[in-house]
Amino acid sequence: MTIYRSFLVSPRPAEPTVSRRAALWFVGGGSLLLFATTVGRSFDGLLRRTALLAPHGGGDPGSGPNGFQINKTAAYAGIDAAETGEDAWRLVVTGRTGTVRLRRDELLRLPLYSAALPIACVEGWSTSDQWWRGVRLRDLAALVGYDDPPDVFVESLQRSGAFRKAALRANQVADSRSLLALYVNGEELSPDHGHPARVIVPAAPGVLNTKWVARMTFGDL
Ligand SMILES: Nc1nc2c(c(=O)[nH]1)N[C@H]1C(S)=C(S)[C@@H](COP(=O)(O)O)O[C@H]1N2
Ligand SMILES: [Mo]
């Protein structure tokens, strides 16, 4: 930081502003960073090869539907294609002013926004940024009576398992990057990534990014 600053504020740019020692430190720091990245990557590779921790998207980081790995497949979660289809699926949103049931095509008529966000699973893997597109969580809160977003309790079509539900804090709902995503990387969400709709929020463990969302209940939890 200080090195950068001394570059920026240097009154006489022609003069060398980085001492030899600082330059060495800088280069050293650079290769350390490179080293750390490489170690991280091969560590990642090891994790991917161990059956227990490996994401189920395949052997390499970018594989899986929509171009990135998956945690639990739709089949594993017991998601039936019949309940995710246009005719059957409704998003049930509840809040201060009551309950709203939205078809997918109705959701798509709300303002859609994009956010580049990764999925970071506590099991030890994460994706690079993926390009999500969907409805802002705070807009869904507004639909049921909140100008100031409260917490939300999100439930999946998935009937059992610890990951079928998640609670998000008011500040996570308020973040303009927090979406109920309908698309990722320019495509429809694939079944395994949570079709027809899934949560994506910034800077949170992957487990909060509930897939196959069926119900959202706003209100302080
Ligand atoms: N309904 C449901 N949502 C879920 C899960 C799940 O098992 N069921 N797994 C969570 C976990 S632990 C992670 S890391 C992410 C993984 O998302 P992905 O499979 O699309 O990569 O989804 C989250 N959402
Ligand atoms: Mo996860």
Side-chain angles (χ1 to χ4, degrees):
M1 265 310 148
T2 35
I3 295 172
Y4 280 120
R5 201 169 305 134
S6 68
F7 268 124
L8 288 175
V9 300
S10 167
R12 282 173 296 173
E15 261 183 31
T17 50
V18 181
S19 72
R20 189 177 150 71
R21 198 152 148 221
L24 278 177
W25 178 88
F26 193 62
V27 170
S31 35
L32 237 186
L33 190 70
L34 198 70
F35 175 71
T37 315
T38 317
V39 167
R41 226 177 260 154
S42 40
F43 180 63
D44 226 32
L46 267 178
L47 282 182
R48 281 184 213 296
R49 278 192 291 277
T50 47
L52 262 182
L53 291 175
H56 306 239
D60 69 84
S63 73
N66 296 130
F68 65 105
Q69 60 262 54
I70 54 181
N71 169 273
K72 299 288 193 287
T73 63
Y76 176 94
I79 305 299
D80 188 339
E83 54 186 345
T84 59
E86 287 279 335
D87 290 338
W89 187 78
R90 298 288 183 276
L91 176 71
V92 182
V93 187
T94 301
R96 186 187 286 143
T97 53
T99 295
V100 177
R101 285 183 176 73
L102 295 161
R103 300 167 51 92
R104 193 180 144 96
D105 59 338
E106 291 170 326
L107 264 181
L108 288 174
R109 268 183 256 130
L110 299 175
L112 300 183
Y113 296 90
S114 296
L117 295 170
I119 287 184
C121 180
V122 293
E123 286 175 358
W125 56 273
S126 56
T127 71
S128 54
D129 280 355
Q130 310 298 320
W131 194 250
W132 306 93
R133 192 161 173 78
V135 179
R136 280 182 174 159
L137 297 189
R138 69 179 194 206
D139 288 351
L140 292 172
L143 271 187
V144 288
Y146 301 94
D147 293 334
D148 255 344
D151 304 339
V152 67
F153 183 63
V154 182
E155 290 168 274
S156 174
L157 287 171
Q158 189 180 343
R159 279 164 204 84
S160 59
F163 298 165
R164 64 166 300 278
K165 55 189 166 51
L168 299 175
R169 286 295 169 205
N171 67 305
Q172 294 173 308
V173 177
D175 196 303
S176 59
R177 293 166 299 171
S178 295
L179 304 176
L180 182 71
L182 302 155
Y183 301 99
V184 67
N185 299 330
E187 303 170 341
E188 292 272 333
L189 279 179
S190 62
D192 289 341
H193 284 307
H195 179 87
R198 64 110 35 98
V199 166
I200 183 80
V201 296
V207 64
L208 294 187
N209 298 323
T210 308
K211 304 195 279 190
W212 315 291
V213 171
R215 185 180 287 271
M216 303 181 77
T217 307
F218 289 93
D220 292 317
L221 300 170

